[in-house]
Amino acid sequence: MEGNYWSDYNGVDDGSGSGKHANAWDGIGDTQIPHPATSYDFYPLVYAYTVKGDINGNFVVNILDALILSNAYGSNPGSPNWKPCADINKDQKVNFLDAMLVSVHYLEHFP
């Protein structure tokens, strides 16, 4: 189970997990945190909710997000430069649609 944000999670999102947790930059922690309840979240979200287009999770859409997107531009899950976090619209490719989302939300921040 996964998908909750833990404010004290200090694991990594570098693809060092196994199976679907072998994806770096997907926003889900790759360091499994044991918990006594079997239905608990073992792989928490790396970032709390932020604004659409905030690829690096720093709560603002800025040039850093644009740089990450540009490095992943044209990629898909089989590409060496694939970064799932840059696929903002989750269509399995980083393209002009994702770039438009960064552009439309540029300088927006949360909160």
Side-chain angles (χ1 to χ4, degrees):
M1 190 169 187
E2 63 204 16
N4 294 305
Y5 174 70
W6 294 3
S7 61
D8 61 346
Y9 178 71
N10 59 5
V12 296
D13 183 18
D14 63 359
S16 61
S18 60
K20 66 180 176 180
H21 300 288
N23 296 320
W25 292 72
D26 63 359
I28 299 172
D30 297 321
T31 305
Q32 182 175 357
I33 306 298
H35 194 276
T38 57
S39 62
Y40 210 81
D41 188 359
F42 297 107
Y43 295 96
L45 297 175
V46 176
Y47 308 111
Y49 177 79
T50 186
V51 294
K52 191 170 266 309
D54 178 20
I55 295 171
N56 65 355
N58 68 349
F59 304 104
V60 64
V61 182
N62 60 21
I63 191 67
L64 300 175
D65 302 297
L67 288 171
I68 293 169
L69 188 131
S70 69
N71 286 330
Y73 196 85
S75 68
N76 57 47
S79 304
N81 61 328
W82 171 246
K83 290 195 174 16
C85 61
D87 179 18
I88 301 166
N89 66 351
K90 305 298 181 211
D91 64 354
Q92 300 296 298
K93 53 191 167 206
V94 179
N95 59 20
F96 72 96
L97 297 172
D98 302 298
M100 284 179 53
L101 288 170
V102 168
S103 175
V104 166
H105 296 284
Y106 198 76
L107 296 184
E108 286 183 14
H109 54 88
F110 180 83

